[in-house]
Amino acid sequence: MTEPKRYVRNMRGYGANPPKANWPGGAHVAVSFVVNYEEGGENCVLHGDAASEAFLSEIVGAAPWPAKRHWNMESIYEYGARAGFWRLHRLFTEAGLPVTVYGVADALARSPDQVAAMQEAGWEIASHGLKWIDYRDHEEDAERADLAEAIRLHTEVVGERPKGLYVGRTSVNTVKLAAQEGGFTWISDTYDDDLPYWLDHDGQGRAIDPQLVIPYTLDANDMRFATAQGFNSGDQFFAYLKDAFDTHYAEGEAGRPSMMSIGLHCRLVGRPGRVAALKRFVDYVKSHDNAWVARRIDIAEHWIAKHPYKPHGLRPSRMGRKAFVSRFGSIFEHSPWIAERAFELELGPAHDSADGLHNALARMFRSASEPERLGVLQAHPDLAGKLAQARRLTEESTREQASAGLDALTDDERAAFTELNETYVAKFGFPFIIAVKDNTKASILDAFRHRIANDRDTEFATACKQVERIAYLRLKDILPQ
């Protein structure tokens, strides 16, 4: 039998309850300043590329020049190396703030003075790939070879292997290749969270060894000076960064610390008309006592120490058909067909929680025919009925009825339940169903007496809702919320 399609993207993440970051000193936010050093690694026929660069420069909307040098583009990139870098270097060293550099290996090799300055300042130099080029159409083996060469050249130029990686202009294989390489403490080619997280699949449905991901940003990023509908002035850049920082800080103060990344480029924010805004923001961050400004390797090492990888428990979206039906076939009482149908849905990481899997199972129950749903209702036992007395309930029903004290009734209470059960079934054709975990003996009896006066359509709908509620409570016992 063909296994159904699975949805590999993770739309859930940490969900409503992210882990407490526990940043050093109880900081409300971890701030990561990133300097992208790409100058000398961009597309250029001098570098053996087919055309000139067209991305992230003062020439908004530039197009590649096939087989030609673009003198203006080259000189704009050169400004970043010759002037912009040193302006940023002075800003951060005078402020005493640590920085992570995303260093393109070819660019670093062409800028020994800048590399020496980065090292003297104690900046982390992470890998930004071999060349600052677009990998979206690269064959997987070609991209793998470039990654290996990027690591080799980086190690040769810097003197040590990079511990972090951000390629930027990625293909669908980039994150997978980085994780498979196995030597990176962290990677940042995602934009999907405000906290680090562990990735244990390759984005294409296959398991990998756990890889720490520190998500990056394209919004709190000076690249928007070079894109349509981006920042037109330093004031806009500062206002955006300040708003983002204030939000992170307030959330951290309220008990949900997170991480803010700021992306910088020597040829962009390194211009005099923009760097002043960056300085104002640096000063603003420094004016707050509970902001931890850190390199990405520092954030990674903190996360590894405080939030090491822990293997997940049940993952419905990764289970085979037999195991899935065996484990979840009893969530809806004696109705494994609901799990069988749910298995055929496009399950993904979002369904690996109680809420997520309940949604999938409930969809199959709701879309079933009325006779099928009636069968589910009829599969439920009477409350405190003969099956309970004979100890013939399912494990789930036994625990649930006991939780409300229905296994310890007085003679009068048992007589009341028996009479109500008989009257209810005779009227509606299915037993009275209620999520006993939400109730007490008294509230169950009150609901029993109230609902027995309903018409059949109303009570059928009410019972179906209670069936779904019971299923959800059962899932909560075995899956995370």
Side-chain angles (χ1 to χ4, degrees), residues 130 136 173 258 285 419 456 468:
L130 177 62
R136 61 183 165 177
N173 296 311
S258 54
V285 171
E419 181 183 353
R456 189 181 185 283
E468 292 185 19

Side-chain angles (χ1 to χ4, degrees), residues 246-269:
D246 286 347
T247 299
H248 281 290
Y249 200 87
E251 290 176 347
E253 208 167 19
R256 292 181 179 272
S258 54
M259 181 188 73
M260 177 182 180
S261 297
I262 301 99
L264 307 169
H265 297 77
C266 302
R267 64 191 176 279
L268 296 177
V269 80

Side-chain angles (χ1 to χ4, degrees), residues 42 57 68 85 91 109 137 151 162 244 276 283-284 323 329 372 385 458:
E42 79 278 10
S57 80
K68 292 181 180 179
F85 169 81
L91 170 58
D137 294 323
I151 296 168
D283 292 341
Y284 185 72
E372 287 175 317
T458 299

Side-chain angles (χ1 to χ4, degrees), residues 2 43 79 112 130 189 199 236 249 267 280 300 449 457 476:
T2 304
N43 284 284
Y79 182 92
L130 177 62
D189 274 303
L199 184 73
Q236 293 176 343
Y249 200 87
R267 64 191 176 279
R280 289 200 298 275
R449 294 181 177 114
D457 288 345
K476 279 180 65 178

Side-chain angles (χ1 to χ4, degrees), residues 372-398:
E372 287 175 317
R373 283 181 289 146
L374 176 60
V376 176
L377 301 187
Q378 292 172 335
H380 279 259
D382 289 333
L383 292 183
K386 295 179 180 179
L387 289 178
Q389 295 172 38
R391 300 185 183 279
R392 291 172 54 194
L393 300 179
T394 62
E395 290 183 16
E396 292 90 345
S397 289
T398 298

Side-chain angles (χ1 to χ4, degrees), residues 328-335 338 361-362 365 376 467-468 471 474:
F328 303 114
S330 62
I331 295 299
F332 280 75
E333 192 86 0
H334 294 298
S335 303
I338 294 176
L361 294 170
F365 176 61
V376 176
V467 164
E468 292 185 19
R474 289 176 177 179

